[in-house]
Amino acid sequence: MTASPAAATLTARAQDVSSRIVEDILTLVRHETSSYDLPGLATGLDLLRELTVQRLGRPGHEERRPGGACGDTLTLTYTGTGAGHVALVGHYDTVWPTGTLAGWEQPEAGEDGRERLSGPGIFDMKTGLAQGIWALKLARESGASLPTVTFLFNGDEEIGSLSSRPVIEEVAQKADVTLVLEPSAHGAVKTARKGTGIFQVTATGVESHAGLAPQDGASAITALSEFVVAAAKVAAPEKGTTINTGLIKGGSAINVVAGQASAGVDIRVSSEAEQARVDEELDAIKVSDPRVRIEIDHAWNRPPMTLNAASGPLLDLAREVARDQGRGRLPDTAVGGASDANFVAALGLPVLCGMGAVGDGAHAQGEFIYPDTVPAQTALVAGLLGRLAEPLRG
């Protein structure tokens, strides 16, 4: 498929500056921003702001919302030449503990021979941040009429967007369209995501000496182990429901029957009906020792995301842009992970997710991007911005 002249020029310009975009990606990756490292997050956000201002100039409006125990949320608004308003959303925190970068190795080329670039957070999602910044820069250079663009950078997405959710919802409600710069699914945009629960389960038993009076104790660890095994059976993968106990801690000493134990449980569901079923069945779990009390904090973090009526026209427009750029049909897909797009979709607002990197290995050692995809992904967002100078019509 042949690109239109204007689209071809935009794509060619993205190719020309590809090495600069990649260098900006690597600049962000070289500064570690673990969700739990507040000083690292603070300086990482300073770096991201500086990079944005270097590429785009000073914004017309900016606000940094303190995150408390989480990373701060920064909004930067650049006034456009058209009537539309687009929010570009991305998180700068990563799942990787500070210090991970020192032992990180670059991968060999894949079986297809394509170059890969790897680093903590490069796929999820620092590439998307850099591409989003450059997308606005390239869209400006194209001379197209452009919407006002608000960048929202949050530092707590990987731990549930506990501090930033109200800001995300506020910004999305003021915008006509939200594009979330999370990594793509092998080039496909993400139009459906699972809802997530981050449950904390606490077991309270009775301590005793493990040698002298074990019969007097009621082990919180044993009871919690029983609960975890039973909870895993509540999962229903055929319905899209998964349950993973990812963190466990408990006890006070090796020779003490444990009086306390706790677990962090990650739950993914595709529907509100499954959410209700999981709640009911977890509450019904019984452990063998009645002296142990099990308490469950049912913390549903993100609602399920589906392609709502408002987002359908936005997907159609993105596909038009992709075809105009010679890419063919832009695929969309449903994925098991959640993102900040879930919050926007739940409000009934137009949103597309997965507008960022092409690569693989999110949250896994060796996550990577294909640098040869950076120009096309950047051009896609730039081209879409050039079509959103007027509010999207359904």
Side-chain angles (χ1 to χ4, degrees), residues 254-334:
I254 194 170
N255 61 346
V256 176
V257 175
Q260 289 285 335
S262 62
V265 184
D266 177 288
I267 303 172
R268 310 285 170 133
V269 296
S270 297
S271 68
E272 292 183 0
E274 274 298 279
Q275 181 175 312
R277 181 188 69 83
V278 168
D279 279 334
E280 181 179 354
E281 294 193 18
L282 290 184
D283 282 337
I285 293 174
K286 303 296 182 184
V287 296
S288 60
D289 193 329
R291 294 175 295 171
V292 179
R293 183 174 74 253
I294 300 289
E295 297 173 288
I296 308 171
D297 178 13
H298 294 253
W300 288 104
N301 176 247
R302 290 185 174 92
M305 171 186 171
T306 58
L307 181 63
N308 60 28
S311 299
L314 179 57
L315 176 61
D316 292 340
L317 184 60
R319 284 177 168 157
E320 287 181 22
V321 171
R323 286 195 297 269
D324 200 35
Q325 293 180 351
R327 288 181 55 155
R329 180 178 174 80
L330 179 68
D332 72 300
T333 190

Side-chain angles (χ1 to χ4, degrees), residues 61-63 65 75 77 83-89 147-152 165-179 344 347-350 388 390-392:
H61 181 266
E62 70 175 282
E63 185 175 7
R65 303 277 188 95
T75 57
T77 298
H85 189 173
V86 175
L88 293 179
V89 176
T148 291
V149 173
T150 295
F151 289 93
L152 186 150
R165 177 177 181 175
V167 189
I168 294 164
E169 293 176 336
E170 175 187 318
V171 168
Q173 287 172 321
K174 291 178 180 178
D176 299 300
V177 161
T178 299
L179 303 177
V344 181
L347 295 172
L349 301 171
L388 289 168
E390 298 296 331
L392 185 70

Side-chain angles (χ1 to χ4, degrees), residues 120-199:
I122 194 169
F123 180 60
D124 186 12
M125 58 161 286
K126 293 186 175 182
T127 291
L129 299 177
Q131 288 178 173
I133 295 165
W134 275 89
L136 180 54
K137 180 176 174 62
L138 295 178
R140 282 176 168 181
E141 292 176 357
S142 74
S145 178
L146 293 176
T148 291
V149 173
T150 295
F151 289 93
L152 186 150
F153 302 131
N154 61 320
D156 61 349
E157 192 275 345
E158 295 292 7
I159 54 175
S161 299
L162 305 177
S163 170
S164 61
R165 177 177 181 175
V167 189
I168 294 164
E169 293 176 336
E170 175 187 318
V171 168
Q173 287 172 321
K174 291 178 180 178
D176 299 300
V177 161
T178 299
L179 303 177
V180 180
L181 302 168
E182 289 274 2
S184 71
H186 304 289
V189 296
K190 299 171 181 177
T191 52
R193 287 179 170 277
K194 291 185 180 181
T196 60
I198 304 173
F199 285 20

Side-chain angles (χ1 to χ4, degrees), residues 339-356:
S339 82
D340 291 328
N342 291 58
F343 299 136
V344 181
L347 295 172
L349 301 171
V351 59
L352 286 182
C353 194
M355 303 299 295

